[in-house]
């Protein structure tokens, strides 16, 4: 029964704690820790995300206001702003990245058959990036332009459930197309991208992997339409009016 339990503790119950401990052990994350474990850090940041906290001070103030319930929410260490700041700065981020992949692997099958508005049985992904502006005086390591700092978050989204399957954070001046080198295409899947990802040498990897891509073209790309040899003309489809498939070839400049 959930009588008297907080909503947060009920959500935490679904998390595979043993898998998290495996991630911690993989990177020796629990070494030299006494009072503030990696699990406490994860719970604090998850609580901050779910409750829209805006700063470390905000996280500390909110959690301390319910200090009598922290134990029942899963916390075993004392919540302090400085302790959380040190943990975020020094602990291995790969612990939480690996645990995110564990959660994604659990969540994706739950939404695999949800309707997405397209009659498609294969996996469908959307690849895009967003630039996050930062203050240059506070984040000098993220220099983007002369008077501006920024980072870029590249995301591959599984449209069955809108679940991110790949996230990479880079400096703001990294071009989107470079992220194609880090993605392993799934055979039979469809990938929808913007024109910033046009690089036919990189996109050819999708063809070699038996995957498909849909991408907006650029105005300066020269394409030549050509029919596929040996193909027999078919009757037009009542829905689309298509009679046959055509091939596209990139013309040399």
């Amino acid at each position: 029964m959930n009588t008297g339990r907080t909503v947060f503790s009920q959500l935490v119950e679904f998390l595979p704690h043993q898998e998290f401990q495996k991630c911690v052990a993989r990177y020796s994350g629990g070494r030299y820790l006494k009072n503030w474990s990696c699990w406490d850090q994860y719970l604090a940041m998850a609580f901050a995300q779910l409750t829209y906290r805006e700063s470390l001070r905000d996280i500390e103030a909110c959690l301390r206001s319910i200090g009598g319930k922290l134990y029942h929410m899963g916390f075993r260490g004392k919540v302090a702003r400085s302790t959380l700041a040190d943990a975020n700065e020094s602990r291995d981020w790969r612990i939480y990245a690996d645990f995110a992949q564990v959660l994604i692997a659990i969540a994706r099958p739950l939404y695999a058959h949800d309707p997405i508005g397209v009659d498609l049985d294969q996996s469908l992904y959307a690849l895009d990036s967003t630039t996050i502006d930062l203050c240059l005086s506070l984040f000098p390591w993220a220099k983007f332009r002369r008077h501006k700092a920024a980072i870029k978050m590249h995301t591959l989204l599984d449209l069955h459930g809108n679940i991110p399957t790949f996230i990479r954070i880079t400096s703001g001046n990294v071009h989107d197309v470079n992220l194609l080198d880090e993605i392993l295409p799934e055979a039979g899947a469809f990938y929808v991208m913007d024109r910033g990802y046009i690089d036919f040498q990189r996109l050819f990897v999708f063809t070699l992997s038996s995957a498909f891509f849909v991408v907006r073209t650029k105005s300066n790309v020269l394409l030549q339409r050509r029919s596929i040899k040996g193909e027999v003309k078919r009757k037009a489809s009542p829905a689309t009016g298509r009679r046959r498939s055509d091939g596209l070839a990139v013309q040399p400049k």
Side-chain angles (χ1 to χ4, degrees):
M1 297 181 63
N2 295 322
T3 304
R5 298 180 60 193
T6 64
V7 174
F8 184 77
S9 64
Q10 296 175 46
L11 292 174
V12 170
E13 188 177 6
F14 289 101
L15 299 177
H17 189 265
Q18 290 184 348
E19 293 296 327
F20 182 85
Q21 294 303 327
K22 291 180 182 178
C23 296
V24 173
R26 187 176 302 135
Y27 301 105
S28 302
R31 186 181 300 176
Y32 309 123
L33 299 183
K34 296 182 179 179
N35 299 321
W36 185 255
S37 67
C38 293
W39 182 248
D40 286 331
Q41 180 191 5
Y42 176 80
L43 292 182
M45 299 308 297
F47 178 85
Q49 181 71 22
L50 293 173
T51 58
Y52 302 98
R53 299 303 97 195
E54 298 181 351
S55 64
L56 294 177
R57 187 183 301 275
D58 194 8
I59 298 173
E60 178 190 41
C62 189
L63 287 176
R64 286 195 171 185
S65 67
I66 53 174
K69 300 180 181 180
L70 290 181
Y71 183 86
H72 302 286
M73 293 170 60
F75 290 90
R76 296 298 179 265
K78 183 180 179 181
V79 179
R81 183 175 70 255
S82 59
T83 304
L84 182 56
D86 293 339
N88 289 343
E89 182 178 5
S90 60
R91 294 185 185 173
D92 199 324
W93 59 271
R94 294 175 296 178
I95 297 173
Y96 309 99
D98 286 6
F99 188 57
Q101 292 301 320
V102 172
L103 297 180
I104 289 172
I106 295 174
R108 288 186 66 187
L110 301 177
Y111 298 89
H113 302 290
D114 278 15
I116 56 175
V118 179
D119 187 13
L120 188 67
D121 295 330
Q122 294 83 356
S123 300
L124 180 61
Y125 298 95
L127 177 62
D128 205 354
S129 68
T130 181
T131 301
I132 303 173
D133 295 330
L134 300 174
C135 177
L136 184 59
S137 60
L138 295 178
F139 303 95
W141 50 267
K143 187 175 182 180
F144 180 43
R145 293 174 183 166
R146 185 175 181 180
H147 301 292
K148 185 178 180 181
I151 58 175
K152 186 177 287 188
M153 184 172 68
H154 310 263
T155 305
L156 181 65
L157 197 67
D158 184 355
L159 297 183
H160 287 281
N162 293 329
I163 300 173
T165 60
F166 171 88
I167 295 178
R168 178 74 72 240
I169 297 177
T170 66
S171 57
N173 54 8
V174 173
H175 197 279
D176 293 348
V177 75
N178 294 319
L179 270 294
L180 293 179
D181 297 332
E182 301 187 33
I183 294 176
L184 183 62
E186 175 187 334
F190 287 80
Y191 294 81
V192 181
M193 297 169 275
D194 204 353
R195 66 186 66 181
Y197 295 92
I198 289 185
D199 184 320
F200 291 106
Q201 184 175 0
R202 288 182 166 99
L203 291 175
F204 187 58
V205 176
F206 287 78
T207 302
L208 295 177
S209 303
S210 300
F212 305 92
F213 62 87
V214 180
V215 60
R216 296 176 61 191
T217 187
K218 295 181 179 179
S219 58
N220 60 350
V221 175
L222 301 178
L223 298 175
Q224 178 184 10
R225 181 178 179 180
R226 64 182 185 184
S227 298
I228 300 177
K229 293 182 178 180
E231 184 177 290
V232 180
K233 289 187 177 181
R234 300 185 297 269
K235 293 182 179 181
S237 169
T240 64
R242 297 174 185 166
R243 290 182 178 273
R244 59 184 298 174
S245 299
D246 294 318
L248 293 177
V250 181
Q251 295 182 353
K253 294 182 178 181

